[in-house]
Amino acid sequence: MALELRHFRYFVAVAEEGHITRAAERLGMQQPPLSQRIRFIEDELGAQLFLRRARGVELTQAGRAFLETARSMLSQYEGAYETVRRAARGQTGRLCVGATPTSAFHPIVPLAIRSFRDEFPQVKLTLEERLPADLIKRLQEKSIDVAFLRAETFEETDLSVRPLLTEPMVVALPTGHRLARVNGAIALKDLARDAFIVFARQTGPAFFETTIAACREAGFSPTLGQEAPRVTSALNLVAAGLGVCVVPTSVMRMAMEGIVYHPLKGSGLLKAPINLVSRRGDPAAVVRNFLNAIRRAKGTLADPK
C-alpha cells in the first residue's frame, strides 16, 4: 500500500503540533489510529520521522526533509483543486466574443465586456469583429462562444437568441446634401431622389431588407447605389457624395469628416435590434457569467426603445 494524500496530512499535522494527541484532535480522529498511521508512513519510507519524547514528538533530520516534501505535495493538491473549482465556476478559462461591425458601436458591447473583465480578470477574453454569416459559422464550429448580431430571426436551431435592445436608425448625409442643414428629423420620402448606399446583402441582410421595406412604405422604391461590406466603407461612400445611408443611431458615435447625421420621422420600420447569440444548451460557466454581465450592462443603460 503506497502513501496517499491523507498520510501527508497526518504527518504534517503531527509535525506542526509536535504532539500526536493534539494532532489527532486537529484532524478529528482518535490518537491510537493516528499513531498507527505515522508508524505506517515511517515503515513505507524506511526512515524514522519522529523522536518520541515524554511531552510530545520531535522531527528527525529525515522528518524535517519529509515535512518540506509533504507541504509541497499538499500545496500542489490544494492549488490544483482550487484551479478546477475556479474553472467550474467560470472564473478562469477563455471566452471569445464576436460582434458585427455595426453592433460593436453600441455602448452595451464595451460596457458588458468591461463589466465581465472587472469581475473575472483571470478569464482571457478576446473580441472578434466579423460579418454575420461568419459569426454564425464560428459559433457552430465552437470557435467563438457568444456573438452580438443584428438579425432578428435565425434559421439555425442549434443557436439560442436573446434579444437585448432595439435602437432607432438615422440617415447619414454628405455635408453638401440639400438637407444637410435641416433642423430636426427628415422624412424618409424626402430622400426619394437620392441613391441609397446599402450594406451588402451577405453582410447585413437585415439592414438591407429593412431599408427597402421602409422606403416602399414611404411611397417610393429606392435607387440603390453601391453596396458596402462594412459600415466604415458605407460612410466613406457617403462622405464622397455618392449617396445617403441609413445606419443605427449608435453609429453616430463615429464622427467622420464630410458626414452629418439626421433622425428620421415617420419611419416605424427603421429599427436596429441587437441580439446576443450563443450555442443552445452551452454548459460553460464562463458563458453563463458573460450573459449575467450583459444583463447588468443592459440595466445601466437607458431603455433605447
Side-chain angles (χ1 to χ4, degrees):
M1 177 178 174
L3 293 182
E4 299 174 3
L5 195 64
R6 59 192 176 96
H7 295 117
F8 290 95
R9 289 201 181 97
Y10 298 153
F11 169 77
V12 169
V14 174
E16 290 178 349
E17 295 294 336
H19 198 281
I20 291 182
T21 300
R22 288 199 299 269
E25 292 174 354
R26 167 175 158 180
L27 293 167
M29 60 189 301
Q30 297 297 314
Q31 180 269 330
L34 181 57
S35 295
Q36 294 173 7
R37 302 296 189 280
I38 296 300
R39 285 194 291 272
F40 168 79
I41 295 170
E42 291 178 322
D43 291 342
E44 282 292 307
L45 295 175
Q48 184 178 2
L49 302 177
F50 294 103
L51 295 173
R52 275 69 174 175
R53 307 294 190 189
R55 296 185 177 180
V57 295
E58 180 183 333
L59 285 169
T60 63
Q61 185 174 354
R64 287 191 293 272
F66 185 59
L67 179 60
E68 183 177 343
T69 299
R71 282 173 170 164
S72 177
M73 291 284 291
L74 290 174
S75 177
Q76 290 179 27
Y77 170 79
E78 293 297 337
Y81 181 72
E82 181 58 23
T83 296
V84 172
R85 291 183 62 188
R86 290 176 66 82
R89 294 192 296 260
Q91 296 173 323
T92 60
R94 296 172 179 269
L95 180 72
C96 186
V97 179
T100 55
T102 58
S103 63
F105 283 102
H106 196 281
I108 197 171
V109 176
L111 188 60
I113 291 174
R114 185 164 59 249
S115 173
F116 179 82
R117 289 295 304 273
D118 288 345
E119 187 171 358
F120 303 102
Q122 295 185 5
V123 174
K124 183 177 180 181
L125 187 149
T126 56
L127 178 64
E128 294 188 10
E129 183 184 298
R130 294 179 179 270
L131 301 180
D134 195 15
L135 288 177
I136 290 174
K137 180 181 178 182
R138 290 175 69 80
L139 274 169
Q140 293 173 320
E141 295 175 345
K142 300 184 178 181
S143 299
I144 62 174
D145 301 296
V146 294
F148 293 93
L149 287 164
R150 290 284 191 177
E152 293 189 80
T153 59
F154 294 83
E155 296 179 358
E156 294 77 11
T157 58
D158 56 338
L159 298 180
S160 175
V161 182
R162 295 171 177 82
L164 294 181
L165 52 86
T166 301
E167 60 178 323
M169 299 182 78
V170 297
V171 63
L173 304 175
T175 51
H177 192 277
R178 65 186 184 281
L179 300 176
R181 297 187 179 182
V182 169
N183 291 324
I186 293 174
L188 193 60
K189 64 181 180 180
D190 292 336
L191 301 170
R193 291 185 293 156
D194 292 280
F196 278 73
I197 305 298
V198 292
F199 296 106
R201 273 158 277 200
Q202 67 273 23
T203 300
F207 286 159
F208 181 89
E209 294 165 4
T210 296
T211 300
I212 301 300
C215 289
R216 287 175 177 166
E217 187 184 60
F220 69 98
S221 293
T223 299
L224 300 182
Q226 290 184 238
E227 292 191 4
R230 294 179 183 271
V231 64
T232 49
S233 54
L235 293 178
N236 279 321
L237 292 171
V238 173
L242 298 180
V244 301
C245 185
V246 177
V247 296
T249 301
S250 55
V251 172
M252 294 174 62
R253 300 172 69 202
M254 184 173 68
M256 286 184 63
E257 186 175 352
I259 287 180
V260 292
Y261 297 98
H262 279 277
L264 289 164
K265 59 184 177 182
S267 53
L269 293 179
L270 287 175
K271 301 291 183 180
I274 295 182
N275 298 304
L276 189 71
V277 185
S278 60
R279 287 180 293 279
R280 189 176 299 279
D282 191 334
V286 69
V287 172
R288 293 197 302 271
N289 291 341
F290 187 73
L291 298 180
N292 290 333
I294 286 287
R295 283 191 285 270
R296 289 192 296 273
K298 184 179 177 182
T300 64
L301 296 173
D303 187 359
K305 293 184 180 181

